[in-house]
Amino acid sequence: MRSFILLSAAAALTLASPVPQELDFSLIDTVETPSNVTIPTNTDELVVVYDSDSAAAAVQTSVLTGQTEIDISNSTTNSTSSSTLRRRGTCAVQASGSGPVPSPDTASAFLSYSAFASAASAAATPSGYTQAFKNLNASNNAYGYLGFTNLASYDSEKCASKCNAISGCAAFNLYYERDPSKDPGTGCENPSSTTNIKCVFWGGPVTSSNANNAGQFRSKFQVVIAGSNGYVNNTIEPADGFSSPNYYGNTAIDAPVDCNGQSTFLGSKVFTGGPFDASLCAAACDAQSATNLKANKATCKFFNTYILSRNNVAIGQYCNLYSQTWANSYATYTGSNSGGNKYTVSYSYGFSASADAGTCKKP
């Protein structure tokens, strides 16, 4: 009898232990690392228009045909007024920015100019946002570039209002940039500078760790950045047919087997080429349910979606599907290593189906 009790206890422990939802390395190891974004200097504004409905439809079609890596870049288009485009060519005059030009007109003077630091330190945190960092000398290469605009003044509220009007905008970066007054080239290798006040929009969070663009040389002219502030929206767009999201931060769900000893994990997808959008994972969940119903398999009732980074660079939006909702306490997975690469989780959310969250029942 004692042996039976011990065996039963061991079995119970086995059923309660997690079944790790390890990253699908065959899927993610081949995902290309996005190139760093270059903010254009020959226009005062560029907005990337994102069509969430088009992207979700593309995801559903892809899942129904068995795809797991899904590029949604066709759902984004660049929009800029042709009247704002300025000619680029050797020594072509560039429009003047709205910020002050320090004296002497050097990169080092720009970086130490106290007015830039004062403006960044005094900037208000807009309603509905959290400040991610303050007064850095670098701009972001975050996830899901959605364009930029040059502002007339260092105004975090104005920048936030523009972000709020852009589909998919989750965060923005506000900073001063030292730019050339002429396009550097032969005969004007190091022209005088102008100061642009840039408001850059992103489809994922800006952080101090992805604020890694400290500038560049254009011929002999040095572009540098000062007074860089980052702000992240406190909410994300809801997903139709699903509950309000639970936020897990830098961890993902690592679910155990269910009450019948069965795995509830239904597979993973990864989306690239657009902003973070929970409705993409919702679309994948619905499409997976349609596929599974035909095979008399469990349907999708819960998903966990997050930004996946390789070696601290965001490479895509990862999406794990489940047949049952799991509590926040199961959000314990932080990432893994593969082939010398380190994969990490951030900006992680969980959504349950509104109609049926998937409660396990004993037969």
Side-chain angles (χ1 to χ4, degrees):
M1 179 65 71
R2 187 168 183 268
S3 297
F4 174 78
I5 293 172
L6 289 174
L7 287 171
S8 298
L13 287 171
T14 300
L15 292 180
S17 63
V19 178
Q21 283 76 65
E22 280 284 345
L23 293 166
D24 183 349
F25 295 117
S26 65
L27 169 62
I28 62 174
D29 280 346
T30 59
V31 174
E32 293 186 3
T33 300
S35 301
N36 286 344
V37 171
T38 299
I39 309 299
T41 59
N42 63 333
T43 180
D44 289 321
E45 182 176 65
L46 184 148
V47 175
V48 178
V49 179
Y50 171 63
D51 186 339
S52 179
D53 291 339
S54 170
V59 167
Q60 282 199 322
T61 299
S62 298
V63 172
L64 290 172
T65 56
Q67 297 180 52
T68 52
E69 181 185 346
I70 303 167
D71 181 1
I72 61 165
S73 58
N74 286 339
S75 298
T76 62
T77 55
N78 291 353
S79 174
T80 186
S81 170
S82 59
S83 63
T84 67
L85 291 173
R86 294 189 289 273
R87 184 170 61 90
R88 287 292 300 270
T90 300
C91 296
V93 175
Q94 306 296 290
S96 296
S98 300
V101 175
S103 180
D105 186 3
T106 63
S108 58
F110 188 95
L111 291 171
S112 62
Y113 192 55
S114 61
F116 295 155
S118 296
S121 297
T125 299
S127 176
Y129 285 80
T130 295
Q131 186 165 46
F133 57 84
K134 179 186 294 186
N135 194 32
L136 300 183
N137 288 337
S139 63
N140 294 99
N141 275 303
Y143 182 74
Y145 174 62
L146 290 173
F148 83 101
T149 187
N150 287 335
L151 298 180
S153 62
Y154 193 96
D155 188 341
S156 56
E157 299 283 0
K158 182 73 170 180
C159 200
S161 69
K162 289 181 175 291
C163 180
N164 292 341
I166 297 171
S167 174
C169 188
F172 65 88
N173 182 202
L174 175 64
Y175 57 91
Y176 295 96
E177 183 172 274
R178 181 179 190 262
D179 290 321
S181 60
K182 296 180 180 180
D183 192 35
T186 303
C188 60
E189 292 86 353
N190 189 19
S192 61
S193 77
T194 188
T195 301
N196 283 306
I197 303 170
K198 292 193 176 292
C199 169
V200 185
F201 313 111
W202 295 98
V206 294
T207 66
S208 57
S209 62
N210 62 36
N212 51 26
N213 174 25
Q216 60 180 313
F217 273 93
R218 294 179 56 190
S219 188
K220 294 182 180 179
F221 182 91
Q222 188 176 4
V223 176
V224 289
I225 290 156
S228 178
N229 284 8
Y231 303 88
V232 181
N233 199 313
N234 294 333
T235 59
I236 63 171
E237 289 295 319
D240 289 344
F242 290 82
S243 63
S244 297
N246 287 316
Y247 182 57
Y248 309 135
N250 296 331
T251 59
I253 292 294
D254 193 0
V257 293
D258 67 11
C259 64
N260 295 308
Q262 301 298 310
S263 173
T264 64
F265 181 56
L266 301 179
S268 303
K269 320 293 177 189
V270 64
F271 315 120
T272 60
F276 182 92
D277 183 355
S279 69
L280 302 182
C281 203
C285 187
D286 291 342
Q288 193 66 56
S289 289
T291 297
N292 287 8
L293 275 173
K294 294 178 181 179
N296 198 29
K297 294 181 179 179
T299 56
C300 183
K301 304 293 178 61
F302 173 72
F303 66 82
N304 176 204
T305 187
Y306 53 85
I307 290 178
L308 179 67
S309 295
R310 180 196 295 133
N311 304 324
N312 296 319
V313 177
I315 62 170
Q317 178 184 343
Y318 206 71
C319 169
N320 281 335
L321 308 178
Y322 298 87
S323 61
Q324 176 181 320
T325 294
W326 293 102
N328 293 21
S329 58
Y330 292 103
T332 58
Y333 182 74
T334 58
S336 302
N337 297 319
S338 173
N341 293 313
K342 182 179 181 180
Y343 291 95
T344 51
V345 173
S346 64
Y347 209 56
S348 177
Y349 289 88
F351 290 77
S352 301
S354 300
D356 181 1
T359 302
C360 184
K361 298 177 181 178
K362 290 279 190 180

